[in-house]
Amino acid sequence: TQLLEQSPQFLSIQEGENLTVYCNSSSVFSSLQWYRQEPGEGPVLLVTVVTGGEVKKLKRLTFQFGDARKDSSLHITAAQPGDTGLYLCAGKPLSNTGNQFYFGTGTSLTVIP
Amino acid sequence: ETGVTQSPTHLIKTRGQQVTLRCSSQSGHNTVSWYQQALGQGPQFIFQYYREEENGRGNFPPRFSGLQFPNYSSELNVNALELDDSALYLCASSLERRVFSSGANVLTFGAGSRLTVL
């Protein structure tokens, strides 16, 4: 059972288009992180969102944490081929007293030149 | 500042064999977590080591075991390999200041060890 569900699972778009990736859960998280993973590499942290309703921008990427801290979204404006990769949300639910850090199911993005 | 390094990068084993994967944590980090990632999927938490002790375990059988050494490097051992163990095994290090973290700390990942079981 996946604690964090991402949608869509696969996304193929033309260069210059906009897109949004969603990360949803029924659990409340103290914070959520977004990672990007390229083939043959480990995931690399893009951003951490901590406060419900928080919006963070990283160049053309906009991250939002839901008010209830159960969901998050990643919006990319004017996608470029360099944005291609596997996007992962991750976090530790408040109800979890251990240190298990959950990752989402992943969204594989391909930006076609 | 050195990053997380994993070895070997690729290996092929047959069913029933045993494998040991190694991870050197990033300088200054004291915690190592291991993940299994199937192709196109998100990483699944195997376990974490903090101060040389297992500090949390995911839904993996006992034939998955690990160690952390005084220099914070770590090993993942898998016994009695099965075909479904074929995956990318990722090691991530972090700096934790207590046993139960808030989850906001940064995980620094290695490039992984690609295991194929035939």
Side-chain angles (χ1 to χ4, degrees):
Chain A
T1 307
Q2 287 286 348
L3 192 65
L4 287 165
E5 294 284 346
Q6 288 184 236
S7 61
Q9 186 178 359
F10 298 97
L11 192 54
S12 181
I13 61 172
Q14 295 289 329
E15 182 177 358
E17 291 183 352
N18 302 332
L19 67 116
T20 302
V21 175
Y22 299 94
C23 172
N24 295 294
S25 178
S26 58
S27 297
V28 178
F29 287 79
S30 57
S31 63
L32 276 179
Q33 299 180 340
W34 283 91
Y35 291 79
R36 180 171 67 209
Q37 183 178 21
E38 299 184 18
E41 301 292 330
V44 176
L45 179 68
L46 296 173
V47 77
T48 300
V49 285
V50 179
T51 306
E54 181 178 6
V55 176
K56 279 193 174 179
K57 291 191 174 183
L58 184 65
K59 297 184 180 178
R60 293 175 295 100
L61 279 60
T62 302
F63 305 85
Q64 185 162 8
F65 200 11
D67 291 340
R69 293 186 293 159
K70 293 183 179 181
D71 56 83
S72 182
S73 64
L74 158 61
H75 182 78
I76 301 180
T77 304
Q80 299 178 359
D83 295 329
T84 294
L86 180 67
Y87 288 82
L88 298 159
C89 62
K92 179 176 171 293
L94 282 178
S95 60
N96 190 341
T97 57
N99 271 342
Q100 186 163 349
F101 204 80
Y102 289 88
F103 277 81
T105 47
T107 295
S108 180
L109 171 65
T110 302
V111 181
I112 303 166
Chain B
E1 181 179 271
T2 57
V4 176
T5 57
Q6 292 187 243
S7 63
T9 54
H10 296 82
L11 71 166
I12 300 173
K13 293 284 189 178
T14 56
R15 274 187 308 174
Q17 285 190 311
Q18 178 266 343
V19 68
T20 297
L21 307 178
R22 295 177 175 83
C23 171
S24 294
S25 60
Q26 178 169 302
S27 175
H29 285 183
N30 60 5
T31 302
V32 172
S33 302
W34 285 93
Y35 291 83
Q36 181 193 66
Q37 186 178 26
L39 198 62
Q41 300 292 316
Q44 297 288 319
F45 177 78
I46 303 175
F47 43 56
Q48 181 186 81
Y49 277 85
Y50 173 74
R51 293 184 175 178
E52 300 179 50
E53 291 190 0
E54 188 178 290
N55 182 41
R57 188 179 183 93
N59 189 26
F60 281 81
R63 59 190 184 84
F64 285 77
S65 63
L67 285 172
Q68 186 179 31
F69 301 99
N71 66 353
Y72 305 119
S73 66
S74 178
E75 286 183 354
L76 164 65
N77 300 290
V78 187
N79 295 322
L81 284 168
E82 301 176 0
L83 297 179
D84 285 348
D85 295 333
S86 295
L88 180 68
Y89 287 85
L90 293 164
C91 167
S93 72
S94 58
L95 176 61
E96 305 290 342
R97 291 183 173 82
R98 53 195 177 102
V99 174
F100 299 125
S101 72
S102 66
N105 292 338
V106 175
L107 294 178
T108 302
F109 282 87
S113 294
R114 171 73 63 187
L115 171 65
T116 301
V117 182
L118 302 176

